[in-house]
Amino acid sequence: MDPGGKVVVVTGGANGIGRALAHRFAAEDARVVIADLDGAGASAVAREIAAAPRGHALGVSCDVTVDAEVARLIGATEDAFGPVDLFCANAGVAVGQDPGTPDEVWDLAFGVNVRAHVLAARHLLPGWLERGAGYFLSTASAAGLLTQIGSAPYAVTKHAAVAFAEWLSVTYGDRGIRVSCLCPMGVNTSLLHHGQSTDGTDPGAAAAAAVVTQTGAVLEPEAVAEVVISALRDERFLILPHPEVLTFFQRKASDYDRWIAGMRRLRSRIIPS
Ligand SMILES: NC(=O)c1ccc[n+]([C@@H]2O[C@H](COP(=O)([O-])OP(=O)(O)OC[C@H]3O[C@@H](n4cnc5c(N)ncnc54)[C@H](O)[C@@H]3O)[C@@H](O)[C@H]2O)c1
């Protein structure tokens, strides 16, 4: 898929990877809707894009975990630019630690990292199937293929995001629906910085940040957006800005017990008991 001239929605577009994606799609002459809980931030990114020659963008305040707000987002996009060609389910939260994490925190992780993708697909699929075309980009994480040391809610919900993206592709691929799943390790955004600056108040996030910074390069969001553009052109399912994630994933599949033993050793280095 060539994003040129397409109508693109990016959730979580006020910051980090989403903001970089929005700018990168706009540079391809896409018309971009930036949706975020941070409505002022979404509008600011839209203004940055609209200020450029041939830039077309709209910022929308939206909680992607609420069905009616997702419906409103898609409606606002259609009113402004026409039907959605590419939906980037990118908003995400890295919260919680273990089974003792309060239910509302588990629910938040499921809501933003998984249910938001289901809600978007629910509203987009009827039109996409009628037109025989539509592209769903899921921002999951390397944690969705491997695990997230320090955060069970993140590991579990990112696995679920990968599973949902796979399922969409298997189920609708023959009817013109394309799906890609972005699975980075560390990216230089506020999500990672939060983990680096918790001062002991969020040990799960601190451990998660330590793992990603110690096991691979921390990429700039713009570099991730560049990899995404090229993967979308090839319509590749799995998008891995850190290529070593493929090796880790293959090792996991080929010898699960050995992989788990290695992850335990890594965990005990990061979180001494
Ligand atoms: N930064 C990393 O190291 C990293 C690694 C792998 C995957 N990811 C994933 O990348 C995606 C983007 O994260 P980021 O690193 O750019 O973080 P970020 O915190 O910079 O951006 C996340 C954005 O999502 C928005 N958001 C959160 N809850 C929302 C909701 N309910 N409705 C609408 N918007 C909401 C936030 O306001 C924020 O603007 C996430 O899904 C994250 O899990 C990040």
Side-chain angles (χ1 to χ4, degrees), residues 95-112 151-157:
V95 291
Q97 204 174 342
D98 57 25
T101 289
D103 285 348
E104 56 271 24
V105 177
W106 275 95
D107 289 346
L108 175 66
F110 272 111
V112 184
S151 179
Y154 196 72
V156 169
T157 57

PDB file of all heavy atoms in Angstrom, residues 95-112 151-157:
ATOM      1  N   VAL A  95       1.397  -0.287  31.990  1.00  0.00           N
ATOM      2  CA  VAL A  95       0.991  -0.140  33.396  1.00  0.00           C
ATOM      3  C   VAL A  95       0.972  -1.502  34.077  1.00  0.00           C
ATOM      4  O   VAL A  95       0.807  -2.534  33.429  1.00  0.00           O
ATOM      5  CB  VAL A  95      -0.407   0.513  33.517  1.00  0.00           C
ATOM      6  CG1 VAL A  95      -0.375   1.981  33.097  1.00  0.00           C
ATOM      7  CG2 VAL A  95      -1.450  -0.255  32.704  1.00  0.00           C
ATOM      8  N   GLY A  96       1.116  -1.479  35.408  1.00  0.00           N
ATOM      9  CA  GLY A  96       0.923  -2.681  36.202  1.00  0.00           C
ATOM     10  C   GLY A  96       2.148  -3.555  36.277  1.00  0.00           C
ATOM     11  O   GLY A  96       3.134  -3.365  35.561  1.00  0.00           O
ATOM     12  N   GLN A  97       2.052  -4.531  37.172  1.00  0.00           N
ATOM     13  CA  GLN A  97       3.232  -5.291  37.528  1.00  0.00           C
ATOM     14  C   GLN A  97       2.996  -6.806  37.508  1.00  0.00           C
ATOM     15  O   GLN A  97       3.655  -7.534  36.804  1.00  0.00           O
ATOM     16  CB  GLN A  97       3.638  -4.851  38.935  1.00  0.00           C
ATOM     17  CG  GLN A  97       5.060  -5.062  39.280  1.00  0.00           C
ATOM     18  CD  GLN A  97       5.386  -4.469  40.640  1.00  0.00           C
ATOM     19  OE1 GLN A  97       4.646  -3.629  41.170  1.00  0.00           O
ATOM     20  NE2 GLN A  97       6.479  -4.908  41.217  1.00  0.00           N
ATOM     21  N   ASP A  98       2.029  -7.250  38.321  1.00  0.00           N
ATOM     22  CA  ASP A  98       1.886  -8.702  38.543  1.00  0.00           C
ATOM     23  C   ASP A  98       0.424  -9.012  38.869  1.00  0.00           C
ATOM     24  O   ASP A  98      -0.425  -8.125  38.805  1.00  0.00           O
ATOM     25  CB  ASP A  98       2.841  -9.145  39.661  1.00  0.00           C
ATOM     26  CG  ASP A  98       2.608  -8.396  40.968  1.00  0.00           C
ATOM     27  OD1 ASP A  98       1.473  -7.911  41.185  1.00  0.00           O
ATOM     28  OD2 ASP A  98       3.560  -8.291  41.762  1.00  0.00           O
ATOM     29  N   PRO A  99       0.102 -10.267  39.260  1.00  0.00           N
ATOM     30  CA  PRO A  99      -1.314 -10.570  39.529  1.00  0.00           C
ATOM     31  C   PRO A  99      -1.914  -9.706  40.643  1.00  0.00           C
ATOM     32  O   PRO A  99      -3.133  -9.529  40.709  1.00  0.00           O
ATOM     33  CB  PRO A  99      -1.289 -12.057  39.918  1.00  0.00           C
ATOM     34  CG  PRO A  99      -0.087 -12.594  39.214  1.00  0.00           C
ATOM     35  CD  PRO A  99       0.933 -11.491  39.261  1.00  0.00           C
ATOM     36  N   GLY A 100      -1.080  -9.151  41.523  1.00  0.00           N
ATOM     37  CA  GLY A 100      -1.576  -8.290  42.593  1.00  0.00           C
ATOM     38  C   GLY A 100      -1.929  -6.882  42.135  1.00  0.00           C
ATOM     39  O   GLY A 100      -2.505  -6.094  42.892  1.00  0.00           O
ATOM     40  N   THR A 101      -1.603  -6.555  40.910  1.00  0.00           N
ATOM     41  CA  THR A 101      -1.964  -5.237  40.351  1.00  0.00           C
ATOM     42  C   THR A 101      -3.485  -5.076  40.396  1.00  0.00           C
ATOM     43  O   THR A 101      -4.210  -6.012  40.033  1.00  0.00           O
ATOM     44  CB  THR A 101      -1.437  -5.156  38.892  1.00  0.00           C
ATOM     45  OG1 THR A 101      -0.015  -5.059  38.945  1.00  0.00           O
ATOM     46  CG2 THR A 101      -2.004  -3.978  38.141  1.00  0.00           C
ATOM     47  N   PRO A 102      -3.976  -3.919  40.836  1.00  0.00           N
ATOM     48  CA  PRO A 102      -5.430  -3.745  40.975  1.00  0.00           C
ATOM     49  C   PRO A 102      -6.191  -3.985  39.663  1.00  0.00           C
ATOM     50  O   PRO A 102      -5.678  -3.704  38.578  1.00  0.00           O
ATOM     51  CB  PRO A 102      -5.577  -2.284  41.418  1.00  0.00           C
ATOM     52  CG  PRO A 102      -4.251  -1.917  41.995  1.00  0.00           C
ATOM     53  CD  PRO A 102      -3.221  -2.745  41.290  1.00  0.00           C
ATOM     54  N   ASP A 103      -7.423  -4.468  39.807  1.00  0.00           N
ATOM     55  CA  ASP A 103      -8.248  -4.780  38.633  1.00  0.00           C
ATOM     56  C   ASP A 103      -8.369  -3.596  37.686  1.00  0.00           C
ATOM     57  O   ASP A 103      -8.354  -3.771  36.461  1.00  0.00           O
ATOM     58  CB  ASP A 103      -9.673  -5.175  39.079  1.00  0.00           C
ATOM     59  CG  ASP A 103      -9.700  -6.569  39.667  1.00  0.00           C
ATOM     60  OD1 ASP A 103      -8.699  -7.309  39.524  1.00  0.00           O
ATOM     61  OD2 ASP A 103     -10.733  -6.917  40.285  1.00  0.00           O
ATOM     62  N   GLU A 104      -8.491  -2.384  38.252  1.00  0.00           N
ATOM     63  CA  GLU A 104      -8.706  -1.240  37.351  1.00  0.00           C
ATOM     64  C   GLU A 104      -7.478  -0.980  36.473  1.00  0.00           C
ATOM     65  O   GLU A 104      -7.602  -0.488  35.350  1.00  0.00           O
ATOM     66  CB  GLU A 104      -9.145   0.033  38.105  1.00  0.00           C
ATOM     67  CG  GLU A 104      -8.237   0.508  39.212  1.00  0.00           C
ATOM     68  CD  GLU A 104      -8.546  -0.110  40.582  1.00  0.00           C
ATOM     69  OE1 GLU A 104      -9.135  -1.217  40.631  1.00  0.00           O
ATOM     70  OE2 GLU A 104      -8.162   0.506  41.602  1.00  0.00           O
ATOM     71  N   VAL A 105      -6.304  -1.360  36.981  1.00  0.00           N
ATOM     72  CA  VAL A 105      -5.090  -1.182  36.165  1.00  0.00           C
ATOM     73  C   VAL A 105      -5.035  -2.262  35.070  1.00  0.00           C
ATOM     74  O   VAL A 105      -4.714  -1.982  33.908  1.00  0.00           O
ATOM     75  CB  VAL A 105      -3.831  -1.198  37.057  1.00  0.00           C
ATOM     76  CG1 VAL A 105      -2.564  -1.082  36.217  1.00  0.00           C
ATOM     77  CG2 VAL A 105      -3.892  -0.063  38.079  1.00  0.00           C
ATOM     78  N   TRP A 106      -5.374  -3.510  35.448  1.00  0.00           N
ATOM     79  CA  TRP A 106      -5.480  -4.568  34.425  1.00  0.00           C
ATOM     80  C   TRP A 106      -6.506  -4.154  33.357  1.00  0.00           C
ATOM     81  O   TRP A 106      -6.274  -4.319  32.160  1.00  0.00           O
ATOM     82  CB  TRP A 106      -5.921  -5.896  35.058  1.00  0.00           C
ATOM     83  CG  TRP A 106      -4.786  -6.704  35.623  1.00  0.00           C
ATOM     84  CD1 TRP A 106      -4.360  -6.713  36.916  1.00  0.00           C
ATOM     85  CD2 TRP A 106      -3.934  -7.620  34.912  1.00  0.00           C
ATOM     86  NE1 TRP A 106      -3.292  -7.577  37.054  1.00  0.00           N
ATOM     87  CE2 TRP A 106      -3.012  -8.160  35.851  1.00  0.00           C
ATOM     88  CE3 TRP A 106      -3.852  -8.039  33.586  1.00  0.00           C
ATOM     89  CZ2 TRP A 106      -2.034  -9.087  35.501  1.00  0.00           C
ATOM     90  CZ3 TRP A 106      -2.871  -8.968  33.242  1.00  0.00           C
ATOM     91  CH2 TRP A 106      -1.977  -9.480  34.185  1.00  0.00           C
ATOM     92  N   ASP A 107      -7.642  -3.599  33.815  1.00  0.00           N
ATOM     93  CA  ASP A 107      -8.691  -3.197  32.861  1.00  0.00           C
ATOM     94  C   ASP A 107      -8.208  -2.091  31.931  1.00  0.00           C
ATOM     95  O   ASP A 107      -8.538  -2.084  30.743  1.00  0.00           O
ATOM     96  CB  ASP A 107      -9.951  -2.731  33.607  1.00  0.00           C
ATOM     97  CG  ASP A 107     -10.682  -3.890  34.273  1.00  0.00           C
ATOM     98  OD1 ASP A 107     -10.380  -5.057  33.936  1.00  0.00           O
ATOM     99  OD2 ASP A 107     -11.546  -3.631  35.140  1.00  0.00           O
ATOM    100  N   LEU A 108      -7.420  -1.160  32.494  1.00  0.00           N
ATOM    101  CA  LEU A 108      -6.884  -0.081  31.659  1.00  0.00           C
ATOM    102  C   LEU A 108      -5.977  -0.664  30.566  1.00  0.00           C
ATOM    103  O   LEU A 108      -6.072  -0.297  29.393  1.00  0.00           O
ATOM    104  CB  LEU A 108      -6.094   0.913  32.533  1.00  0.00           C
ATOM    105  CG  LEU A 108      -5.376   2.034  31.780  1.00  0.00           C
ATOM    106  CD1 LEU A 108      -6.370   2.985  31.113  1.00  0.00           C
ATOM    107  CD2 LEU A 108      -4.456   2.821  32.730  1.00  0.00           C
ATOM    108  N   ALA A 109      -5.110  -1.601  30.968  1.00  0.00           N
ATOM    109  CA  ALA A 109      -4.203  -2.218  29.986  1.00  0.00           C
ATOM    110  C   ALA A 109      -5.002  -2.947  28.901  1.00  0.00           C
ATOM    111  O   ALA A 109      -4.734  -2.792  27.704  1.00  0.00           O
ATOM    112  CB  ALA A 109      -3.242  -3.174  30.686  1.00  0.00           C
ATOM    113  N   PHE A 110      -6.001  -3.726  29.326  1.00  0.00           N
ATOM    114  CA  PHE A 110      -6.831  -4.426  28.325  1.00  0.00           C
ATOM    115  C   PHE A 110      -7.587  -3.421  27.456  1.00  0.00           C
ATOM    116  O   PHE A 110      -7.704  -3.601  26.240  1.00  0.00           O
ATOM    117  CB  PHE A 110      -7.825  -5.379  29.010  1.00  0.00           C
ATOM    118  CG  PHE A 110      -7.252  -6.742  29.258  1.00  0.00           C
ATOM    119  CD1 PHE A 110      -6.975  -7.174  30.538  1.00  0.00           C
ATOM    120  CD2 PHE A 110      -6.986  -7.610  28.199  1.00  0.00           C
ATOM    121  CE1 PHE A 110      -6.426  -8.431  30.772  1.00  0.00           C
ATOM    122  CE2 PHE A 110      -6.444  -8.871  28.420  1.00  0.00           C
ATOM    123  CZ  PHE A 110      -6.161  -9.286  29.712  1.00  0.00           C
ATOM    124  N   GLY A 111      -8.102  -2.358  28.090  1.00  0.00           N
ATOM    125  CA  GLY A 111      -8.913  -1.381  27.352  1.00  0.00           C
ATOM    126  C   GLY A 111      -8.126  -0.706  26.250  1.00  0.00           C
ATOM    127  O   GLY A 111      -8.558  -0.656  25.092  1.00  0.00           O
ATOM    128  N   VAL A 112      -6.950  -0.181  26.599  1.00  0.00           N
ATOM    129  CA  VAL A 112      -6.188   0.608  25.614  1.00  0.00           C
ATOM    130  C   VAL A 112      -5.434  -0.315  24.652  1.00  0.00           C
ATOM    131  O   VAL A 112      -5.411  -0.082  23.440  1.00  0.00           O
ATOM    132  CB  VAL A 112      -5.194   1.569  26.312  1.00  0.00           C
ATOM    133  CG1 VAL A 112      -4.490   2.445  25.274  1.00  0.00           C
ATOM    134  CG2 VAL A 112      -5.902   2.443  27.334  1.00  0.00           C
ATOM    135  N   SER A 151       6.264  -6.518  33.890  1.00  0.00           N
ATOM    136  CA  SER A 151       4.859  -6.117  33.750  1.00  0.00           C
ATOM    137  C   SER A 151       4.018  -7.200  33.084  1.00  0.00           C
ATOM    138  O   SER A 151       4.020  -7.341  31.850  1.00  0.00           O
ATOM    139  CB  SER A 151       4.734  -4.815  32.954  1.00  0.00           C
ATOM    140  OG  SER A 151       3.365  -4.475  32.811  1.00  0.00           O
ATOM    141  N   ALA A 152       3.288  -7.948  33.913  1.00  0.00           N
ATOM    142  CA  ALA A 152       2.368  -8.958  33.363  1.00  0.00           C
ATOM    143  C   ALA A 152       1.259  -8.317  32.528  1.00  0.00           C
ATOM    144  O   ALA A 152       0.963  -8.811  31.434  1.00  0.00           O
ATOM    145  CB  ALA A 152       1.773  -9.806  34.490  1.00  0.00           C
ATOM    146  N   PRO A 153       0.638  -7.202  32.983  1.00  0.00           N
ATOM    147  CA  PRO A 153      -0.434  -6.629  32.151  1.00  0.00           C
ATOM    148  C   PRO A 153       0.064  -6.220  30.757  1.00  0.00           C
ATOM    149  O   PRO A 153      -0.636  -6.409  29.762  1.00  0.00           O
ATOM    150  CB  PRO A 153      -0.897  -5.401  32.956  1.00  0.00           C
ATOM    151  CG  PRO A 153      -0.575  -5.742  34.374  1.00  0.00           C
ATOM    152  CD  PRO A 153       0.704  -6.529  34.308  1.00  0.00           C
ATOM    153  N   TYR A 154       1.270  -5.686  30.680  1.00  0.00           N
ATOM    154  CA  TYR A 154       1.794  -5.276  29.374  1.00  0.00           C
ATOM    155  C   TYR A 154       2.070  -6.511  28.518  1.00  0.00           C
ATOM    156  O   TYR A 154       1.674  -6.579  27.356  1.00  0.00           O
ATOM    157  CB  TYR A 154       3.057  -4.431  29.551  1.00  0.00           C
ATOM    158  CG  TYR A 154       3.449  -3.648  28.317  1.00  0.00           C
ATOM    159  CD1 TYR A 154       2.711  -2.545  27.901  1.00  0.00           C
ATOM    160  CD2 TYR A 154       4.574  -3.999  27.560  1.00  0.00           C
ATOM    161  CE1 TYR A 154       3.064  -1.819  26.768  1.00  0.00           C
ATOM    162  CE2 TYR A 154       4.935  -3.283  26.428  1.00  0.00           C
ATOM    163  CZ  TYR A 154       4.183  -2.184  26.029  1.00  0.00           C
ATOM    164  OH  TYR A 154       4.547  -1.472  24.904  1.00  0.00           O
ATOM    165  N   ALA A 155       2.750  -7.516  29.101  1.00  0.00           N
ATOM    166  CA  ALA A 155       3.076  -8.735  28.334  1.00  0.00           C
ATOM    167  C   ALA A 155       1.805  -9.391  27.799  1.00  0.00           C
ATOM    168  O   ALA A 155       1.722  -9.753  26.618  1.00  0.00           O
ATOM    169  CB  ALA A 155       3.843  -9.719  29.224  1.00  0.00           C
ATOM    170  N   VAL A 156       0.813  -9.516  28.669  1.00  0.00           N
ATOM    171  CA  VAL A 156      -0.410 -10.237  28.302  1.00  0.00           C
ATOM    172  C   VAL A 156      -1.206  -9.471  27.246  1.00  0.00           C
ATOM    173  O   VAL A 156      -1.663 -10.044  26.251  1.00  0.00           O
ATOM    174  CB  VAL A 156      -1.263 -10.467  29.575  1.00  0.00           C
ATOM    175  CG1 VAL A 156      -2.650 -10.969  29.228  1.00  0.00           C
ATOM    176  CG2 VAL A 156      -0.560 -11.442  30.506  1.00  0.00           C
ATOM    177  N   THR A 157      -1.371  -8.160  27.461  1.00  0.00           N
ATOM    178  CA  THR A 157      -2.212  -7.410  26.524  1.00  0.00           C
ATOM    179  C   THR A 157      -1.527  -7.223  25.175  1.00  0.00           C
ATOM    180  O   THR A 157      -2.196  -7.172  24.147  1.00  0.00           O
ATOM    181  CB  THR A 157      -2.638  -6.041  27.111  1.00  0.00           C
ATOM    182  OG1 THR A 157      -1.464  -5.285  27.451  1.00  0.00           O
ATOM    183  CG2 THR A 157      -3.508  -6.234  28.351  1.00  0.00           C
TER     184      THR A 157
END
